[in-house]
Amino acid sequence: MYGSTLKMDISNRFMSREIDVPGKDFCDMSKGYDTAFEDFSIVNCMLPRVYHPPLQGNIYEKLSASVAKQLFPEINMVIDYDQLLNKRPGKTDAVFAWHQDMAYWPPPSITPDTRTVTFSLALDTTTPENGCLLFVPGSGVGKELRPHVPLKNNRDESHTIAIDVGDEEEQVHLEAKRGDVTIHDEWVVHGSRGNQTQGDRRTYVVAFRTEETVSRERALGFTHSHNAEFSWDKWIDPPSQSPSI
């Protein structure tokens, strides 16, 4: 089960704030940065392997690295970032807005090799009722970035950005059993709905990108930390209407 029992224990220590994560790296991905902890719906913990170094080199990371190598044997893929998420029980507003991961990162003009392998380990079984992953089939084939807009007025108020997906587009639920791992790339349009159940919906994300791309990001001062002094908004091309999911 990909070490899900051990990872759940670590996840719970982060989610309860036993392991400290400073500033905006501990936030709610469905609301603004000013949201009180007790009001969080999607608890988001960025860079757990940075804030708790004993997590580094765990079996999940090692197996994910092996899969990334099999997918791209000709290039060195390295960990770019990791992330812990929890949709709290009964939080129907725990909506992860439609997006493409590429919109959160420096554009291809700065990092031309965009190849990414993002692994999501289900620490709980995921269903449509608790907000499993939703994706739009074929949406990443053209490798084109759709216009994204900030959830709030700007990225200083909330890290989240979103796009609008119309009802005419096919939307597929990707259910996973506890211990299962899903994989997606940087271009596919995906999101998820709220948690209607009385159980947690926890996920452990590890993303691999090429060594050169990660080096370019770090040279810019881009580390995936929400605490970094960085101009996020310059990468966003706002659409004419607010997004929805």
Side-chain angles (χ1 to χ4, degrees):
M1 292 175 64
Y2 235 47
S4 59
T5 300
L6 174 61
K7 305 308 175 295
M8 187 176 294
D9 175 67
I10 296 294
S11 173
N12 290 341
R13 291 174 63 195
F14 274 107
M15 296 301 167
S16 67
R17 311 209 78 170
E18 176 186 342
I19 300 175
D20 183 57
V21 176
K24 297 178 179 178
D25 282 345
F26 194 87
C27 65
D28 186 331
M29 283 298 286
S30 64
K31 302 175 182 176
Y33 283 128
D34 58 352
T35 304
F37 175 56
E38 59 269 22
D39 296 327
F40 279 18
S41 294
I42 303 179
V43 184
N44 175 50
C45 173
M46 291 302 301
L47 309 177
R49 69 192 311 272
V50 172
Y51 294 117
H52 186 63
L55 194 58
Q56 297 176 19
N58 64 67
I59 187 62
Y60 173 44
E61 288 187 354
K62 291 178 180 178
L63 290 173
S64 298
S66 175
V67 173
K69 184 64 176 177
Q70 293 174 59
L71 291 171
F72 297 107
E74 76 285 0
I75 195 73
N76 189 27
M77 302 291 286
V78 299
I79 293 177
D80 189 16
Y81 73 95
D82 62 339
Q83 181 180 20
L84 289 167
L85 296 160
N86 181 29
K87 294 190 174 192
R88 285 177 163 174
K91 294 293 187 178
T92 57
D93 62 346
V95 174
F96 215 120
W98 289 110
H99 67 282
Q100 295 163 289
D101 289 347
M102 211 38 233
Y104 279 97
W105 308 331
S109 59
I110 299 175
T111 56
D113 191 340
T114 68
R115 286 177 290 183
T116 306
V117 188
T118 299
F119 299 86
S120 298
L121 169 61
L123 300 179
D124 302 287
T125 294
T126 71
T127 65
E129 289 72 30
N130 69 3
C132 68
L133 186 68
L134 273 169
F135 71 95
V136 177
S139 56
V141 173
K143 297 184 177 182
E144 294 182 359
L145 193 62
R146 300 189 186 189
H148 288 65
V149 66
L151 180 67
K152 298 294 184 178
N153 292 322
N154 55 60
R155 300 293 290 285
D156 291 328
E157 295 184 15
S158 172
H159 185 71
T160 304
I161 53 178
I163 58 179
D164 189 65
V165 172
D167 292 337
E168 72 281 0
E169 294 189 77
E170 183 182 6
Q171 302 172 19
V172 176
H173 290 96
L174 184 59
E175 300 183 58
K177 294 182 179 180
R178 177 184 168 191
D180 284 352
V181 176
T182 63
I183 301 173
H184 65 269
D185 71 2
E186 66 275 28
W187 297 107
V188 65
V189 174
H190 60 290
S192 58
R193 299 196 173 102
N195 185 357
Q196 304 175 47
T197 74
Q198 294 309 303
D200 293 298
R201 207 282 255 175
R202 292 163 289 195
T203 306
Y204 179 11
V205 176
V206 176
F208 286 75
R209 307 194 81 191
T210 70
E211 186 173 30
E212 178 185 0
T213 292
V214 173
S215 294
R216 285 173 177 260
E217 288 179 332
R218 301 301 182 267
L220 291 170
F222 182 78
T223 65
H224 295 273
S225 172
H226 299 181
N227 295 321
E229 294 295 330
F230 212 85
S231 177
W232 299 95
D233 294 318
K234 66 183 179 181
W235 295 334
I236 300 174
D237 180 18
S240 57
Q241 58 185 10
S242 300
S244 60
I245 184 171

